[in-house]
Amino acid sequence: MTTVTDVNKAQVRPGGGRRKLTLPVLLLIIAGVLILISVVRMVTGADGITSTGQMSAALRLAVPIGLAGLGGLWAERAGVVNIGLEGMLILGTWFGAWAGYQWGPWSGILFGLIGGALGGLLHAIVTVTFQVNHIVSGVALNILALGTTRYLSTFTFEGVEGGTSKQSPPIDSLGTFTVPGLSDGLQSLNDKGWFLVSDLAGLLGGLFTDLSPLTVIAVATVPLSWWILWRTSFGLRLRSCGENPVAAESLGVNVYKYKYLAVIISGGFAGLGGAFLSLVSSNIYLEGQTGGRGYIGLAAMIFGNWMPGGLALGAGLFGYTDSLKIRGGGTNVHALLLLLVILLVIAVAWLLWKKRWVAGSITAVCAAVLLTWYLLSDEVPRQFVSATPYVVTLLVLALSAQRLRMPKADGMPYRKGQGG
């Protein structure tokens, strides 16, 4: 019988000798960034960058990104690259809206999850059983999902009151709730404008204000996924399939079964994110409403180094930058330019200390350009504000690329018995 210890031994340890980012160091970095943000807020007067409303909007926008990223995490930990997250999100939006319109929003959540899981099942069949390239399969799934939902909408929503071939009729809301007392107290602290205290109050206030029940469920899936994948024998076996499937099979692990389960669960998470978009974010299905969030979720997963906690931070970052275009975008993004300048100056000092002269010089030039832009302008053009989430996605991936370590067998074809 395969034991947890046996399967754990079958996994390949990360190489390279790079020091792992520990929790205390990560918390110290987060505290330092919060202090810098508070300084920038007080210097620029842009109180909106840490307001409760800003953080609440950021959380709502981060949820579908985080769920898509969590789906990618489950699949890739089992060795299957899931570029099809965008398509699974699309399926979740349509099935969630269709069932939500018919039988209510909670049914929409269930069917959105099922719709995404069906997309995951198709991706698993194509990649695991038929050994098709994972990238090709994912791209094909994205195209198929878009075409399928467009076709279904023409005879499902068209002709119905409030519906067209590109959108559903309005769906009943799940409703929202606010934690009494705690939310008001944090809002009061946030309004005072105190250094750091008000910023922390705004951050925490966004977690307790105007919450959807589905938001609470989505946030809970992050620690739940961590516990399952890193603290259970099921999770250890699943991860061994993404690290060394030959060794895992030699210890009695059914690699095909775990890959299938992982990709189906992956699709379920993405479908849940799609249901969130159509049931919570807008209470309506609208063609194209995913807006590339599946790809951004994949970027959040990579930024988080294939770990749930890092993924959550990445989703929060992308959700926050996306929320800037909704609430005081030009002014807030202009204030954050100063924060970026400070971070680049710190990076220059670090690079020069490491004697990386070329990289330090380039970073210094970038800091000078951004500082000039900040000093010569009062706010950022609206077009740039709209592009901020995508610019941040590219920057984060470029800057974090050197510390990334994907599962060793991620994306590699595997056939049963190949190690025999």
Side-chain angles (χ1 to χ4, degrees):
M1 182 177 178
T2 307
T3 65
V4 174
T5 305
D6 291 335
V7 177
N8 204 21
K9 287 179 180 177
Q11 299 179 49
V12 176
R13 292 182 180 274
R18 188 180 298 274
R19 179 178 295 179
K20 186 177 179 181
L21 188 64
T22 61
L23 181 60
V25 173
L26 180 61
L27 293 176
L28 189 61
I29 292 173
I30 293 173
V33 172
L34 286 174
I35 291 172
L36 289 178
I37 291 174
S38 186
V39 170
V40 167
R41 176 185 62 81
M42 299 193 74
V43 169
T44 61
D47 293 334
I49 61 176
T50 57
S51 68
T52 300
Q54 184 78 61
M55 297 304 174
S56 180
L59 179 61
R60 287 195 300 272
L61 291 167
V63 166
I65 296 172
L67 286 171
L70 205 56
L73 172 71
W74 274 80
E76 299 209 9
R77 278 294 175 180
V80 180
V81 175
N82 194 354
I83 298 293
L85 290 170
E86 180 73 8
M88 295 169 195
L89 270 177
I90 293 172
L91 291 173
T93 60
W94 193 90
F95 279 97
W98 173 73
Y101 172 68
Q102 301 286 339
W103 304 298
W106 286 104
S107 296
I109 292 172
L110 176 62
F111 275 81
L113 190 152
I114 292 172
L118 289 175
L121 175 61
L122 179 59
H123 187 52
I125 292 171
V126 173
T127 57
V128 178
T129 301
F130 292 101
Q131 302 290 308
V132 173
N133 181 277
H134 299 190
I135 305 298
V136 173
S137 173
V139 172
L141 180 61
N142 292 338
I143 298 171
L144 179 63
L146 181 60
T148 300
T149 53
R150 182 176 295 172
Y151 171 72
L152 291 173
S153 295
T154 57
F155 64 84
T156 303
F157 298 139
E158 192 172 14
V160 179
E161 184 180 356
T164 69
S165 61
K166 293 188 176 182
Q167 72 174 53
S168 71
I171 307 163
D172 291 338
S173 173
L174 282 169
T176 60
F177 66 94
T178 296
V179 179
L182 185 59
S183 177
D184 293 337
L186 291 170
Q187 178 67 63
S188 178
L189 279 176
N190 182 244
D191 291 339
K192 293 183 182 299
W194 292 340
F195 174 73
L196 192 57
V197 174
S198 293
D199 302 290
L200 286 172
L203 175 62
L204 295 174
L207 302 177
F208 299 106
T209 305
D210 291 333
L211 292 174
S212 165
L214 188 51
T215 302
V216 178
I217 294 172
V219 172
T221 59
V222 176
L224 179 63
S225 292
W226 173 83
W227 181 78
I228 293 174
L229 289 174
W230 273 268
R231 287 293 181 270
T232 67
S233 59
F234 170 82
L236 287 170
R237 293 186 179 106
L238 186 147
R239 287 188 293 122
S240 72
C241 296
E243 294 290 347
N244 195 332
V246 174
E249 185 184 32
S250 70
L251 294 172
V253 176
N254 188 333
V255 176
Y256 275 18
K257 182 183 80 171
Y258 279 92
K259 284 181 180 288
Y260 261 87
L261 286 173
V263 181
I264 292 170
I265 293 170
S266 170
F269 276 121
L272 194 62
F276 185 93
L277 287 172
S278 58
L279 297 172
V280 177
S281 297
S282 59
N283 294 115
I284 194 171
Y285 163 78
L286 185 64
E287 186 177 303
Q289 72 186 137
T290 56
R293 286 178 176 84
Y295 300 110
I296 298 178
L298 197 63
M301 178 203 69
I302 295 171
F303 165 77
N305 206 13
W306 288 265
M307 294 291 290
L311 182 155
L313 288 176
L317 174 63
F318 298 135
Y320 178 78
T321 55
D322 202 12
S323 71
L324 291 173
K325 62 186 179 185
I326 299 176
R327 302 177 59 89
T331 303
N332 289 341
V333 174
H334 182 261
L336 291 175
L337 282 178
L338 181 58
L339 173 64
L340 185 55
V341 170
I342 296 172
L343 292 175
L344 287 175
V345 170
I346 294 173
V348 169
W350 171 261
L351 290 169
L352 294 180
W353 182 65
K354 289 288 187 179
K355 298 183 179 180
R356 297 172 60 183
W357 311 114
V358 175
S361 300
I362 294 173
T363 307
V365 170
C366 293
V369 170
L370 289 176
L371 180 60
T372 303
W373 184 9
Y374 172 78
L375 294 175
L376 296 180
S377 62
D378 293 325
E379 68 176 44
V380 172
R382 179 174 55 84
Q383 294 84 352
F384 183 82
V385 174
S386 300
T388 299
Y390 308 102
V391 173
V392 169
T393 301
L394 292 173
L395 287 175
V396 165
L397 289 179
L399 294 173
S400 62
Q402 293 183 348
R403 68 173 183 84
L404 300 178
R405 189 261 174 191
M406 69 171 64
K408 188 176 177 64
D410 194 16
M412 296 175 61
Y414 172 77
R415 290 190 180 277
K416 187 175 181 180
Q418 73 178 36

